[in-house]
Amino acid sequence: MKIKELETFSPEETFALGEEMGRAAKPGEVYSLIGDLGVGKTVFTQGMARGLGITEPVSSPTFTIVQVYEQGRMPFYHFDVYRIGDLEEMEEIGYEDCFYGDGLSLVEWGCRIEELLPETYREIRIEKDPEQGFDYRKVTIREVGI
């Protein structure tokens, strides 16, 4: 398992990190995005979408569970599983078609459905540290099974 720790000092830097990862992403990859409310998960996701060539507005699909963007160089499946009651809800929306398809899947709050994640995925954990400043973020990228 490979772990990489990065720091960002503004929302723009968090966006740029997501954009860089979006440019490097390959079809079939799954990312689990973890972090408290207000830590910058959506900003990171918007950057990732931009890196995929998506220019339409990207927001968290809190009430729809998954939002699909097909405008970029590959489909982008943006999940927010914060409100998932049980794993059957994921089956009902056809998560396997996304996780094992030809697009990129990003799952906010992926730790809530960890047992459904594929054998290989990247976990991205974003954390605040008030002592480092209001906009400081520690971003830990952990490759699982890769």
Side-chain angles (χ1 to χ4, degrees), residues 66-131:
V66 65
Q67 180 69 40
V68 180
Y69 301 91
E70 296 191 27
Q71 171 191 58
R73 63 181 175 89
M74 71 179 89
F76 180 46
Y77 307 107
H78 179 201
F79 291 83
D80 184 333
V81 298
Y82 184 76
R83 287 184 168 74
I84 285 285
D86 62 53
L87 299 179
E88 285 181 21
E89 288 181 61
M90 289 296 289
E91 290 177 20
E92 290 171 12
I93 62 168
Y95 80 94
E96 289 178 320
D97 293 337
C98 301
F99 285 10
Y100 301 101
D102 59 355
L104 174 72
S105 296
L106 184 136
V107 185
E108 291 190 42
W109 304 98
C111 53
R112 293 178 180 250
I113 61 155
E114 199 164 13
E115 54 269 37
L116 297 181
L117 295 174
E119 254 181 55
T120 61
Y121 66 94
R122 286 182 176 85
E123 178 187 280
I124 301 165
R125 185 175 298 272
I126 304 175
E127 300 170 284
K128 292 181 183 182
D129 183 349
E131 292 180 14

